[in-house]
């Protein structure tokens, strides 16, 4: 039996009615938002580390910032120490 994923057509319809977005753009926004909220803690830590590193920040500042950002995620993950954050990035 195939698992069906919700199409979110009602949300796309709402965005088309309430914003200047075209249907394809609204669908892309919905998929982007769902992907954002589907990101794991590990994925978030790794992504933010890469982003902040590309801005020239050093690891000490990066891990401090990530530790302050984590509690503000939509589904707050458990508290992670700076050591645990490093291990998520470097293994």
């Amino acid at each position: 039996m195939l698992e069906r994923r919700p199409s979110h057509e009602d949300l796309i319809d709402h965005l088309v009615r309430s914003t200047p977005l075209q249907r394809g753009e609204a669908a892309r926004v919905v998929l982007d938002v769902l992907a954002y909220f589907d990101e794991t803690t590990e994925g978030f830590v790794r992504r933010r580390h890469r982003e902040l590193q590309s801005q020239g920040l050093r690891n000490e500042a990066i891990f401090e910032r990530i530790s302050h950002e984590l509690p503000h995620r939509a589904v707050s993950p458990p508290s992670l120490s700076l050591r645990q954050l490093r291990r998520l990035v470097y293994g």
Side-chain angles (χ1 to χ4, degrees):
M1 174 182 260
L2 290 175
E3 181 182 327
R4 292 192 58 193
R5 295 190 65 167
S7 66
H8 307 290
E9 291 298 319
D10 56 335
L11 178 55
I12 294 169
D13 291 340
H14 172 74
L15 288 173
V16 169
R17 283 191 310 272
S18 63
T19 69
L21 296 174
Q22 299 296 313
R23 186 160 198 79
E25 294 167 323
R28 192 169 47 252
V29 166
V30 168
L31 291 176
D32 285 347
V33 169
L34 291 173
Y36 174 83
F37 285 113
D38 200 31
E39 186 175 40
T40 65
T41 299
E42 292 83 0
F44 172 77
V45 170
R46 289 183 184 119
R47 176 178 59 80
R48 285 299 288 150
H49 182 268
R50 281 191 310 272
E51 291 169 354
L52 296 170
Q53 199 172 45
S54 74
Q55 295 173 18
L57 291 168
R58 299 183 59 81
N59 277 342
E60 184 177 332
I62 290 172
F63 292 121
E64 278 291 327
R65 182 178 290 184
I66 291 172
S67 72
H68 291 292
E69 291 177 353
L70 277 172
H72 302 287
R73 301 279 297 157
V75 177
S76 184
S79 236
L80 298 174
S81 70
L82 297 180
R83 181 174 186 253
Q84 288 171 310
L85 292 173
R86 281 187 201 93
R87 290 193 66 166
L88 288 175
V89 173
Y90 297 112

